[in-house]
């Protein structure tokens, strides 16, 4: 009990841990055109594991992940993010990146 009359119990409800990747998963990651990020830690893991990741389009949930993408070496024109973070904006960012990718792959 503290001097203010209450007890604090810490509960760790969230821990960021790098996911394990098989060699097949790593190979598949290198082949994608659009990657989607919900956190700076995801950007860090992706950029440390995928060769030539800067050529992929990065769709981010918000500015924090977009800033991490820029810091990791992505060019600003390859990063897509909503003005306001959240699921709806994130989906729109993924759609925008996918449309850009499809336009780039379409023969004229």
């Amino acid at each position: 009990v503290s001097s203010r009359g209450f007890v604090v119990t810490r509960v760790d409800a969230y821990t960021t841990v790098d996911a394990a990747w098989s060699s097949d998963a790593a190979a598949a990651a290198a082949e994608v055109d659009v990657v989607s990020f919900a956190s700076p830690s995801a950007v860090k893991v992706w950029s440390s594991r995928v060769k030539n990741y800067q050529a992929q389009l990065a769709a981010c949930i918000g500015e924090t992940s977009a800033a991490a993408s820029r810091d990791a070496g992505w060019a600003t024109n390859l990063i897509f993010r909503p003005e306001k973070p959240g699921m709806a904006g994130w989906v729109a960012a993924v759609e925008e990146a996918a449309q850009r990718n499809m336009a780039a792959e379409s023969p004229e």
Side-chain angles (χ1 to χ4, degrees), residues 6-77:
F6 56 88
V7 175
V8 175
T9 303
R10 179 185 168 126
V11 176
D12 291 326
Y14 180 84
T15 302
T16 302
V17 178
D18 296 357
W21 287 17
S22 67
S23 58
D24 289 343
E31 297 297 320
V32 303
D33 297 315
V34 177
V35 61
S36 180
F37 296 118
S39 69
S41 60
V43 173
K44 181 180 176 184
V45 169
W46 192 271
S47 63
S48 72
R49 294 183 180 177
V50 178
K51 292 182 182 182
N52 300 319
Y53 65 89
Q54 297 100 331
Q56 297 170 321
L57 303 177
C60 301
I61 195 168
E63 176 53 30
T64 304
S65 296
S69 297
R70 287 190 298 275
D71 291 346
W74 264 275
T76 302
N77 67 324

